[in-house]
Amino acid sequence: MKKILFPTDFSPAADHAFIYALKLAKQIGAEITTLHCYELPALSGSHLPVTIRDVYESISLEEFENYRDNVPHLHEIAQQAGLESVPLTHIMQEGEAIYNINKLAGKEAVDLIVMGTTGASGLKRIFLGSVAAEVMENAPCPVLAIPKDAQFDGEIDHVAFATEYKDEEIKTLRWLARWPALKGAEIYCLHVDLYHTEGLAHKMDLFSKKFEGLDNLHFEVVDHISFEKAITAYLKEKNIDLLAMVIHHRNFFKELFNYSYTKELAYHLTTPILAIPERAVNKLNPKPEDRRFGLSELSAL
């Protein structure tokens, strides 16, 4: 993993996530491309083309001046953190942020997108109500979302991987176990049993057999009626540094975060989330051993 894309609006939350991105890049030997996007307003009035053009040019100039003034600030952050050796490239683009982020990530064959989340309360808002959510669902590569209160000491020691026993999670989990950023980390593969069927189906036992020989993987099932409450408690109990999961589709998360029968809990998540979009799973670097484990083998679970 050598290319990291870091979208930024130069906010305090983005600056905080930038430090995280710098430390990660230093650890795995990656370069960072920062991306700042801005949108021009939709102005009507075909009889005033000159005026509209002048407005657009004025806005673009102001955005460029803001961009020009803030790029040195990013280098100052890197220098103050002792990470000035991380290669940095800076890009400014006009247009909708989500579209530009995913387009540039695909065009430049980016390996990882790192971005901050501003004031996100709990998993529900991160996945369903933020720019990060849209990027996660449609990105061509894994996306690392950094809450504004997340802390990173340069080491990721404990990782949780939330599973629904999907086929694509086999390859993803094997990739995680070998990802250089997680070298030496303990990875806890976790399933939240919302329907209380694990005692009869023993799906986790079958799932875990696909990973024999990977000693840093652990497998656990938590019986609970709330996915978010179970995950949040687990993150605290295990002192988790990173929560990883495959993003299947938006309806998957709407189902997980259905609060029609219970009061929504106002948890403030401080754990970074590594989201691997389903479309990006096949782009993860395969290992020879993976070819012995067909992804369709879990279809009977």
Side-chain angles (χ1 to χ4, degrees):
M1 183 169 289
K2 298 299 181 181
K3 291 186 178 181
I4 294 177
L5 177 62
F6 180 76
T8 179
D9 58 1
F10 303 118
S11 65
D15 287 351
H16 176 73
F18 185 55
I19 296 176
Y20 201 110
L22 285 166
K23 290 182 178 179
L24 184 61
K26 178 70 173 181
Q27 183 178 353
I28 63 178
E31 61 185 43
I32 296 178
T33 297
T34 72
L35 173 64
H36 175 65
C37 300
Y38 71 97
E39 292 186 61
L40 295 173
L43 301 177
S44 59
S46 57
H47 60 291
L48 296 174
V50 176
T51 302
I52 293 176
R53 184 167 62 250
D54 289 343
V55 170
Y56 283 158
E57 290 178 354
S58 175
I59 293 174
S60 296
L61 178 60
E62 183 178 352
E63 286 289 344
F64 173 76
E65 291 175 344
N66 175 61
Y67 171 77
R68 180 194 61 194
D69 293 341
N70 276 285
V71 165
H73 175 61
L74 295 178
H75 286 271
E76 289 175 6
I77 292 175
Q79 186 174 16
Q80 291 172 2
L83 297 166
E84 62 270 21
S85 63
V86 175
L88 295 176
T89 303
H90 307 285
I91 296 176
M92 182 179 78
Q93 290 184 344
E94 186 275 324
E96 196 266 334
I98 297 167
Y99 173 79
N100 281 346
I101 291 169
N102 288 333
K103 181 179 179 181
L104 184 62
K107 179 181 178 181
E108 298 297 327
V110 166
D111 299 296
L112 177 69
I113 298 172
V114 180
M115 57 192 307
T117 59
T118 305
S121 295
L123 297 172
K124 182 179 182 181
R125 184 169 174 183
I126 285 180
F127 282 117
L128 300 180
S130 69
V131 172
E134 294 288 344
V135 173
M136 285 176 178
E137 188 176 14
N138 298 292
C141 63
V143 180
L144 181 58
I146 312 297
K148 65 182 183 67
D149 293 324
Q151 300 298 322
F152 184 41
D153 60 5
E155 298 291 337
I156 301 176
D157 302 310
H158 302 94
V159 178
F161 178 76
T163 180
E164 290 295 306
Y165 307 129
K166 301 290 184 179
D167 290 352
E168 58 271 17
E169 292 169 350
I170 301 175
K171 183 174 183 177
T172 303
L173 188 52
R174 294 184 69 85
W175 170 76
L176 277 175
R178 298 184 178 92
W179 187 27
L182 305 184
K183 184 178 181 180
E186 299 297 321
I187 302 176
Y188 300 89
C189 184
L190 173 68
H191 174 72
V192 179
D193 186 13
L194 298 174
Y195 304 106
H196 319 295
T197 60
E198 190 65 31
L200 297 175
H202 303 290
K203 291 184 178 181
M204 184 61 87
D205 290 338
L206 295 173
F207 189 73
S208 65
K209 293 183 185 301
K210 303 297 179 181
F211 306 94
E212 293 178 355
L214 294 176
D215 297 333
N216 61 329
L217 297 184
H218 312 276
F219 301 86
E220 297 187 38
V221 176
V222 175
D223 191 290
H224 213 289
I225 62 172
S226 166
F227 178 84
E228 182 169 7
K229 186 174 181 179
I231 287 288
T232 305
Y234 191 86
L235 297 181
K236 183 177 180 180
E237 175 190 346
K238 296 291 187 180
N239 195 27
I240 297 297
D241 301 306
L242 180 71
L243 171 63
M245 60 178 68
V246 175
I247 304 296
H248 302 283
H249 49 76
R250 187 62 62 87
N251 289 337
F252 172 72
F253 290 101
K254 286 182 178 179
E255 179 182 353
L256 287 180
F257 299 121
N258 186 344
Y259 284 89
S260 58
Y261 299 106
T262 185
K263 184 179 180 180
E264 180 177 347
L265 300 171
Y267 283 105
H268 187 78
L269 193 71
T270 60
T271 304
I273 294 176
L274 178 65
I276 300 94
E278 186 173 1
R279 60 180 293 199
V281 169
N282 289 332
K283 297 180 181 180
L284 301 178
N285 292 330
K287 294 289 183 179
E289 305 95 296
D290 295 338
R291 300 189 183 103
R292 300 201 306 264
F293 297 86
L295 295 186
S296 62
E297 291 181 24
L298 278 183
S299 59
L301 286 184

